[in-house]
Amino acid sequence: MAESTEQRKSRHLDVCLDEDVASRLDAGWEAVRLRHEALPEIALADVDVSTVFLGLALRAPLLISSMTGGTVRAAEINRRLARGAEAAGIAFALGSGRAMLEDDGLRTTFDVRAVAPKVVVFANLGAVQLNYGVRTEDARRLVDALGANGLYLHLNPLQEALQSGGDTNFRSLEPKIAALCAALEVPVIAKSVGSGIAPSTAARLVDCGVAAIDVAGAGGTSWARVEGKRSGDPARERIAEAFGDWGYPTPRATAALRAALPLVPLVASGGIRDGVQVAKALALGADLAGLALPFLRAADESDAAVAALIDELVTALRIALFATGSRAIGELRDALA
Ligand SMILES: Cc1cc2nc3c(=O)[nH]c(=O)nc-3n(C[C@H](O)[C@H](O)[C@H](O)COP(=O)(O)O)c2cc1C
């Protein structure tokens, strides 16, 4: 019998939590150096990491990247992440809402408004689903039902190609993405899933009306490896493993996108693992930094673990600003060594 979307999502969580799914590519954060300021002439207390992203006020430039929904376990993870994000004033993205569009009974596994009425939350769909029956009305229904502040559209050709029975018809999506962006009342953000987005592709997406780009580059969770390990088929896993270092590493891809598109709201994600890397991502031109797998691990543990991870990231980011002599995150752009 074909695997249901719900079964697939559940297995994704186990594979990500229990197996080595790290990209075999070193993202290259060490090569990004921030200027150390021995005489900052500010107090640590002067540092302000608040920001505004797509008109949404955040107390720190952080995003919990798209992960889950659709199962009872996912519901609890989403609630823990949403509570943590709301308490800290950071943004939170849900996993693909396709399962909910297929079965409205799964809505409660995505809907976090009951526990986090004010959190900045983004819904998520695979762009390719626009070729598989998902219409603009469906995307709007998803956004409305979840009270979402925006919609993430993920672009995952490699992942679909490595999945048995994956949705691999990526033909003529641009006009459909453009129609979606024009019709929705909320901003649409395009993202990869750990392979990155080239500047020329990002420019095409911006032409379609996408409001922001999330590079979701390589160096963190490898979706090729996740799909390979999930398949249970040695030949398929070998094919997937061949793509274990695929994609544009996040720091380089972030810098390239910022250089090509100076004004487009930009999220850096993919392999960001600590607050100094967050600072480096912002210095390279990102407006927000997103993390997925570290937040899954924390949410799998407890509300307290989510709060502690956010606190660690924000504390290190604040210290990185202080030690570069930056009062506000905008000043980090001048702090590359
Ligand atoms: C368990 C899990 C589920 C994910 N599901 C989605 C998804 O539904 N939609 C999406 O756009 N990205 C999804 N991703 C990809 C992440 O948003 C992110 O782009 C990728 O994991 C790289 O970030 P990381 O290295 O911080 O994990 C998922 C990641 C994980 C770990």
Side-chain angles (χ1 to χ4, degrees):
M1 212 180 73
E3 190 183 37
S4 69
T5 306
E6 178 164 1
Q7 284 167 327
R8 193 178 66 244
K9 291 287 161 194
S10 188
R11 182 89 181 100
H12 274 154
L13 292 185
D14 287 329
V15 170
C16 287
L17 285 170
D18 302 339
E19 306 207 27
D20 176 13
V21 292
S23 168
R24 282 190 275 103
L25 188 77
D26 175 9
W29 290 109
E30 299 80 0
V32 182
R33 309 301 304 171
L34 295 180
R35 190 168 44 75
H36 176 67
E37 179 49 75
L39 190 60
E41 293 289 356
I42 56 173
L44 179 56
D46 298 335
V47 169
D48 174 10
V49 294
S50 67
T51 191
V52 176
F53 180 72
L54 296 174
L56 302 158
L58 298 172
R59 294 217 302 277
L62 284 174
L63 165 81
I64 300 175
S65 293
S66 304
M67 280 187 284
T68 199
T71 64
V72 174
R73 186 174 167 204
E76 185 54 27
I77 288 169
N78 277 337
R79 285 189 213 114
R80 286 179 181 169
L81 293 173
R83 280 192 289 258
E86 175 159 296
I90 68 168
F92 167 51
L94 293 156
S96 168
R98 177 180 166 199
M100 183 184 133
L101 291 177
E102 289 169 0
D103 175 3
D104 195 55
L106 297 178
R107 181 194 291 213
T108 51
T109 68
F110 289 90
D111 189 356
V112 294
R113 282 294 175 216
V115 298
K118 295 202 183 107
V119 72
V120 169
V121 65
F122 300 118
N124 181 297
L125 277 175
V128 75
Q129 295 313 316
L130 299 172
N131 275 350
Y132 290 85
V134 169
R135 299 152 307 164
T136 295
E137 305 93 270
D138 300 316
R140 178 178 289 120
R141 184 158 55 87
L142 182 72
V143 165
D144 289 349
L146 303 178
N149 300 94
L151 175 69
Y152 254 110
L153 214 48
H154 67 262
L155 304 159
N156 63 342
L158 176 64
Q159 184 192 2
E160 296 288 352
L162 292 171
Q163 238 176 65
S164 123
D167 294 332
T168 52
N169 173 15
F170 276 68
R171 290 187 196 117
S172 305
L173 281 175
E174 285 182 47
K176 291 180 182 167
I177 294 173
L180 181 68
C181 293
L184 285 189
E185 291 74 23
V186 295
V188 173
I189 308 164
K191 81 185 278 282
S192 177
V193 295
S195 303
I197 298 180
S200 55
T201 308
R204 279 158 58 209
L205 289 160
V206 170
D207 284 346
C208 289
V210 157
I213 302 285
D214 183 335
V215 60
T221 310
S222 157
W223 275 86
R225 300 196 73 195
V226 174
E227 290 301 343
K229 288 181 191 288
R230 191 178 67 83
S231 71
D233 169 350
R236 198 160 266 285
E237 184 169 351
R238 280 196 299 276
I239 295 170
E241 283 292 323
F243 290 88
D245 67 353
W246 191 262
Y248 302 113
T250 299
R252 259 173 46 202
T254 301
L257 284 173
R258 180 45 82 216
L261 302 166
L263 300 176
V264 171
L266 184 62
V267 183
S269 69
I272 294 179
R273 295 295 178 259
D274 62 44
V276 172
Q277 291 173 355
V278 170
K280 289 178 175 180
L282 300 173
L284 291 169
D287 298 298
L288 289 190
L291 295 80
L293 193 53
F295 276 112
L296 178 63
R297 290 195 196 291
D300 192 48
E301 207 180 306
S302 63
D303 276 284
V306 174
L309 175 55
I310 299 173
D311 187 55
E312 258 176 50
L313 292 166
V314 173
T315 300
L317 173 64
R318 286 177 53 82
I319 295 172
L321 264 81
F322 178 58
T324 54
S326 312
R327 275 173 202 272
I329 55 172
E331 293 173 34
L332 273 177
R333 300 246 179 124
D334 302 320
L336 280 177

